[in-house]
Amino acid sequence: MIACKRFLYIVTFSLVVIGRAGATGRGAELHMKKTTFGKMPDGQAIDLYTLTNRNGMEVTITNYGGRVVSLLAPDRAGKVADVVLGFDDLSGYLAENPYFGALVGRYANRIANGEFSLDGVEYHVPRNDGPNALHGGIRGFDKRVWTAHDVTKENPSLELTYLSKDGEEGYPGNLSVKVIYTLTDANELQIDYTATTDKDTVLNLTNHSYFNLAGQGNGNILKHQLMINADRFTPINSTLIPIGELRPVDGTPFDFRKPAAIGARINDENEQLKFGKGYDHNFAVNHQDARLVLAARVTDPESGRVMEVLTTQPGVQLYTGNFLDGTIHGKAGKIYGYRSALCLETQHFPNSPNQPNFPSAELKPGQTFQETTTYRFPATH
Ligand code: GLA
């Protein structure tokens, strides 16, 4: 282990970009550091990129699955903690894990029975979640090696690209995907997604980070206060497929329009909560237009850490770690127990290819898919 760390240290090199001195008045240097993260079974080297902003906030991202590996966020006293679940090195990610930090595609979330039709052709994609397709299939974007480029300008930015070939995991069209992670001086991790195709296809791209604002592995998230800017959610059947309805949250445990503790109603007698084993539902974000809107805000009353989620996407999946059961040991040996993290996956609605009344998830040649999501960690002190 020690020898391995030393090796990592030796191969480390830094790309130092002089930040715009006037931008923050601090005139600090911006760094994007690239280190070795591990090797794929076929020997391909995988990297870890460290993005640091002028406040000293740090995010690490690997080109394996485009995964956010760590994210240091300040509490009310300015003390940082790593607020995302994950692993210390690549081997953890290569083992079975529920999409920790990953870029998910080609179709994030579920497609009923792994079937959909496009232009009169029926497509079948792998059913990897009971009867349904989940998160892009057996080997989705979360398990692919992305090509990374440092595209730092005013802020540290990492560009990740991936070409999903026609027919990969059953989806039509060569889909060229570009994701840019940028860390701003407002403590925002901004994620810009673009994609183009050469055949009609469907797509749904998200990031699947698991957050615990008390610090990864530090208890459950039931006392976190959550606000979701959504008047309606998409109720599901017992296999977690939306039934097609947009149901008002009013008077239900899904009303987070005013902040409420995640745990306050999670065990209520409620069919929807029973189906999800807790919250595992898509909310229709209140959008006036396609611009970035505040979709959710989470606060940890104890540490004072805050996370705001802004997005251009029509939906956000609230998943409260209901399938975590303490069997996964993550960073620093932390045990990831039941409901020890929450995900706020901004997205198109699940099963949109089979629901004509949901916002379309189709992409045609000549069109450019474009969405932005920002996770913001304001300093509260
Ligand atoms: C998503 C799904 C959940 C679960 C997790 C991964 O959030 O909606 O049901 O599959 O991913 O475990």
Side-chain angles (χ1 to χ4, degrees):
M1 193 60 200
I2 289 172
C4 169
K5 280 218 172 108
R6 251 182 85 190
F7 173 71
L8 284 179
Y9 182 68
I10 291 163
V11 298
T12 298
F13 65 92
S14 295
L15 300 172
V16 180
V17 178
I18 309 299
R20 275 200 328 176
T24 63
R26 269 159 277 154
E29 281 181 345
L30 285 180
H31 298 262
M32 183 178 318
K33 205 172 67 175
K34 177 177 157 189
T35 51
T36 297
F37 197 46
K39 281 202 161 84
M40 294 294 288
D42 68 359
Q44 185 178 3
I46 299 297
D47 296 315
L48 185 70
Y49 295 84
T50 305
L51 285 62
T52 310
N53 73 6
R54 292 176 182 84
N55 306 323
M57 182 178 162
E58 191 189 284
V59 177
T60 66
I61 298 163
T62 175
N63 59 323
Y64 176 70
R67 292 170 187 249
V68 175
V69 170
S70 66
L71 192 155
L72 301 183
D75 69 4
R76 67 166 68 83
K79 194 169 154 248
V80 296
D82 182 359
V83 297
V84 293
L85 273 50
F87 301 102
D88 289 320
D89 57 29
L90 181 66
S91 60
Y93 291 96
L94 292 176
E96 196 48 44
N97 75 88
Y99 308 92
F100 285 160
L103 292 178
V104 178
R106 182 178 303 199
Y107 200 92
N109 215 310
R110 293 174 176 78
I111 296 179
N113 302 313
E115 291 170 355
F116 60 93
S117 297
L118 256 184
D119 309 322
V121 180
E122 215 176 86
Y123 291 94
H124 296 269
V125 294
R127 302 172 176 196
N128 57 338
D129 186 60
N132 304 317
L134 176 68
H135 291 332
I138 311 293
R139 194 163 165 230
F141 294 180
D142 60 297
K143 296 180 188 70
R144 302 283 171 174
V145 179
W146 294 62
T147 303
H149 288 292
D150 178 358
V151 293
T152 298
K153 285 190 191 122
E154 289 169 19
N155 296 303
S157 284
L158 180 69
E159 178 192 278
L160 296 171
T161 52
Y162 177 66
L163 175 67
S164 172
K165 294 268 175 64
D166 186 15
E168 182 182 286
E169 295 290 329
Y171 291 93
N174 289 298
L175 185 77
S176 173
V177 187
K178 181 161 87 181
V179 177
I180 300 180
Y181 282 108
T182 302
L183 182 61
T184 75
D185 286 333
N187 287 358
E188 297 162 326
L189 180 62
Q190 183 176 322
I191 313 176
D192 291 299
Y193 301 87
T194 48
T196 52
T197 183
D198 63 0
K199 245 191 210 174
D200 288 7
T201 192
V202 295
L203 84 164
N204 192 15
L205 302 177
T206 197
N207 175 277
H208 207 306
S209 287
Y210 284 69
F211 297 98
N212 183 326
L213 298 184
Q216 60 102 18
N218 289 343
N220 66 45
I221 43 78
L222 297 178
K223 289 195 180 131
H224 283 33
Q225 292 278 325
L226 173 65
M227 185 284 293
I228 302 181
N229 176 22
D231 295 335
R232 296 171 304 167
F233 76 111
T234 53
I236 52 178
N237 67 18
S238 64
T239 72
L240 281 72
I241 294 290
I243 55 180
E245 183 189 334
L246 276 155
R247 185 177 293 176
V249 295
D250 203 18
T252 76
F254 295 84
D255 191 351
F256 284 100
R257 292 172 297 178
K258 291 202 185 90
I262 292 174
R265 296 160 295 178
I266 200 168
N267 295 321
D268 280 10
E269 260 311 306
N270 176 284
E271 188 183 50
Q272 284 298 311
L273 288 170
K274 218 167 264 162
F275 287 158
K277 301 191 167 46
Y279 294 102
D280 197 348
H281 294 78
N282 171 65
F283 289 73
V285 176
N286 294 334
H287 269 287
Q288 294 336 335
D289 51 38
R291 278 180 311 172
L292 209 60
V293 295
L294 181 69
R297 179 188 287 114
V298 192
T299 56
D300 170 31
E302 207 159 305
S303 65
R305 282 194 192 88
V306 177
M307 176 174 82
E308 293 173 340
V309 184
L310 296 95
T311 193
T312 57
Q313 300 237 54
V316 62
Q317 180 89 1
L318 168 63
Y319 168 59
T320 47
N322 312 308
F323 299 124
L324 296 174
D325 60 5
T327 51
I328 296 180
H329 294 205
K331 287 178 279 189
K334 293 278 190 175
I335 292 170
Y336 296 149
Y338 186 48
R339 296 179 174 162
S340 63
L342 80 151
C343 301
L344 286 162
E345 304 152 58
T346 60
Q347 60 181 4
H348 275 254
F349 299 176
N351 199 32
S352 297
N354 295 305
Q355 286 291 354
N357 61 324
F358 286 176
S360 171
E362 287 181 24
L363 186 71
K364 296 181 188 311
Q367 298 177 331
T368 301
F369 173 92
Q370 209 160 5
E371 300 286 358
T372 295
T373 292
T374 296
Y375 293 96
R376 183 193 287 158
F377 299 85
T380 49
H381 55 290

